[in-house]
Amino acid sequence: MTVTAPDIGRLDAETFGRVALGPILAEFCLRLWLFERFLQGDDAVLLFCARGGLRMRLAYERFLARTDLPQRLPHADLMVSRLVAARTAFDPPSPGVLSELEREFSGQSMAEIAAALAQCNDLDLPPPWHAPFEKIRFISLLAGTEPGVVRLHRAVAEQDALFRAHLATCTGNRRHGVLVDTGLYGSTVRILQEGIPERQWSGLQFARSNYKRLPTPHFARTLGLSVESDGYKPWEVRTSALRFWQLIESCLEPELSSVRTFTASADGGSPRANLQVAGWESRIAPEQPGLFTGVLAYIDGLAPETLHRVQEDAARAWQHLKDAVVWPDAQAVATLSLGHRSRDFGRTELRAQFAVPGTTSPLKQIRESLWREGAVVRSFPRSGRLALPLIELIYAARALRSEVQALRRRRRAI
């Protein structure tokens, strides 16, 4: 099916998934397979990270089946999250953990951080823990011997031990864990490197971006197979995914909880994550039509003799994605409206795609929305599209300034 750019905004979610996201994710699968060929051996295993990685594995293995490409390495579903990874490098907290906590819990108390890490609200920590997070102070408080601090350490250690047992089941005797995930920064790779250094860690992500502006020691072994950029560049069509990254995440994340805790198996088997509720495997592929069913429909239409068309289809699909995300009309906004997004890291709070109208000024509502171009069109149905060229110009100026600064840094380093 070939759809021209002006038509893309009039598609329903499933057709958009087939026309735009399907070829893009099939191209990702092809690139993942090429990297898997270079990783063949007795020491590596592809670990598809919950939650987005669960659908990535489903799409990838279906892609291999439809195209008759051979699987080179073992695959496993890894029940992990940034919260779970943080526990591996908690005692004492590593630089990666401290950076994540500082960014995720800015302005919140250290008691709230402790509750998230322990998944326990009755630690009864001393008063100093109720102060806002500060790295040095947090490390100092962790050295305390008060009963609440002892309970915190015990809870984190127990959960970490259960995760490591789960990890051992996933990897067997293989020491190189290749994390396959959506992106962007790759916090999980960085923290696992710090928390479990006896293993080798790599990351193969859909996109890699240092949008957090944090140190990137893990980028040497973390690749964005489809996108690598620290920001949106209007002249690089692939970076349009960064303008509405939640669209990619929403497509790939099934309706399952983020991994927060593990429980020991009564029969001595591998520990079970809270995500692994009864029938969780059947919930990876959605029953209702939507973006991901469209992706699978495109992949199901592939065959060995049509594999060569994937890259051509993907080139058109990237342009379709940019047209819908950067230059949306009212129908595109309706088609790509998502449910609430989880804040994650052990918290249950949700964030809406668009800021609630009437709670603040329209301009602030746009700035606080996950998809600003969509928020502009939604807030100003008649004139919103006239503002989109201005937004594009602003991003072009920022990207050019960033490019110039990077060039100057490289010249000074020579």
Side-chain angles (χ1 to χ4, degrees):
M1 177 180 181
T2 300
V3 179
T4 59
D7 296 327
I8 200 70
R10 294 197 288 270
L11 302 179
D12 59 69
E14 184 173 45
T15 308
F16 184 86
R18 185 171 70 251
V19 172
L21 300 182
I24 287 172
L25 288 167
E27 180 193 53
F28 167 84
C29 291
L30 178 58
R31 294 182 173 193
L32 178 57
W33 180 77
L34 291 172
F35 269 92
E36 185 177 343
R37 293 187 67 191
F38 291 105
L39 290 169
Q40 60 182 305
D42 297 330
D43 202 39
V45 55
L46 293 187
L47 300 173
F48 290 81
C49 299
R51 291 175 289 167
L54 303 180
R55 282 189 174 174
M56 296 175 89
R57 180 181 179 184
L58 174 61
Y60 182 51
E61 293 182 348
R62 190 170 296 192
F63 173 82
L64 297 184
R66 297 297 184 268
T67 57
D68 284 344
L69 294 176
Q71 178 179 319
R72 305 272 181 171
L73 297 175
H75 303 167
D77 294 326
L78 183 65
M79 298 299 144
V80 73
S81 63
R82 288 178 300 157
L83 172 67
V84 170
R87 294 186 183 122
T88 71
F90 173 73
D91 198 6
S94 70
V97 169
L98 291 171
S99 293
E100 287 292 317
L101 295 179
E102 184 174 48
R103 185 179 187 279
E104 289 293 328
F105 293 88
S106 176
Q108 295 179 260
S109 72
M110 289 176 281
E112 291 174 279
I113 294 173
L117 287 164
Q119 286 295 288
C120 178
N121 291 317
D122 59 352
L123 292 172
D124 192 23
L125 294 165
W129 280 84
H130 296 277
F133 176 79
E134 194 276 320
K135 290 181 181 179
I136 302 301
R137 185 61 175 152
F138 184 68
I139 294 172
S140 174
L141 290 175
L142 284 174
T145 58
E146 298 89 346
V149 179
V150 172
R151 285 195 293 273
L152 168 63
H153 282 280
R154 184 184 303 120
V156 171
E158 288 174 354
Q159 282 298 312
D160 183 40
L162 291 170
F163 167 68
R164 290 176 187 248
H166 164 71
L167 175 64
T169 300
C170 292
T171 56
N173 60 355
R174 294 172 181 254
R175 310 301 296 174
H176 183 188
V178 183
L179 304 184
V180 183
D181 206 352
T182 52
L184 293 162
Y185 174 70
S187 305
T188 305
V189 179
R190 180 185 179 187
I191 297 174
L192 288 179
Q193 280 183 343
E194 297 170 338
I196 312 179
E198 62 272 18
R199 289 184 178 272
Q200 182 181 352
W201 298 101
S202 301
L204 296 176
Q205 302 178 169
F206 178 85
R208 190 194 74 182
S209 176
N210 187 18
Y211 72 101
K212 295 183 179 181
R213 302 297 188 264
L214 296 176
T216 56
H218 59 298
F219 270 24
R221 55 178 63 239
T222 305
L223 300 176
L225 297 185
S226 297
V227 184
E228 282 194 352
S229 178
D230 290 345
Y232 169 56
K233 300 175 183 177
W235 56 88
E236 291 185 11
V237 67
R238 290 170 177 269
T239 63
S240 60
L242 303 179
R243 292 299 311 127
F244 188 19
W245 174 246
Q246 291 79 13
L247 176 66
I248 305 298
E249 288 186 325
S250 179
C251 173
L252 290 174
E253 291 182 352
E255 291 294 325
L256 292 166
S257 299
S258 177
V259 180
R260 298 188 301 272
T261 58
F262 290 85
T263 54
S265 174
D267 59 5
S270 179
R272 196 171 184 86
N274 64 284
L275 177 151
Q276 295 172 295
V277 296
W280 68 273
E281 296 97 336
S282 64
R283 293 168 60 181
I284 296 174
E287 294 182 357
Q288 299 300 319
L291 294 171
F292 191 64
T293 58
V295 169
L296 294 180
Y298 175 82
I299 291 175
D300 284 340
L302 295 175
E305 60 273 16
T306 62
L307 181 60
H308 67 280
R309 295 211 311 257
V310 167
Q311 291 181 312
E312 296 175 4
D313 290 348
R316 288 190 294 270
W318 279 110
Q319 188 60 55
H320 291 332
L321 178 66
K322 179 174 181 178
D323 291 341
V325 167
V326 177
W327 307 105
D329 58 16
Q331 181 58 48
V333 173
T335 298
L336 302 183
S337 290
L338 312 176
H340 289 2
R341 306 295 300 152
S342 170
R343 291 182 61 85
D344 206 2
F345 218 105
R347 295 166 294 183
T348 57
E349 307 98 287
L350 300 175
R351 182 179 177 186
Q353 177 180 354
F354 298 113
V356 179
T359 58
T360 183
S361 69
L363 290 180
K364 190 173 182 182
Q365 290 173 29
I366 292 169
R367 287 197 299 270
E368 293 177 353
S369 295
L370 300 178
W371 179 24
R372 292 183 178 179
E373 289 85 352
V376 167
V377 174
R378 189 170 181 264
S379 298
F380 303 98
R382 294 184 178 181
S383 60
R385 280 178 62 82
L386 299 177
L388 297 181
L390 177 59
I391 295 175
E392 185 79 342
L393 184 61
I394 292 171
Y395 277 101
R398 289 179 181 175
L400 284 171
R401 183 170 64 249
S402 179
E403 292 282 291
V404 170
Q405 292 172 346
L407 179 61
R408 288 174 178 171
R409 287 194 297 269
R410 287 194 294 269
R411 286 178 174 175
R412 287 196 296 266
I414 296 176

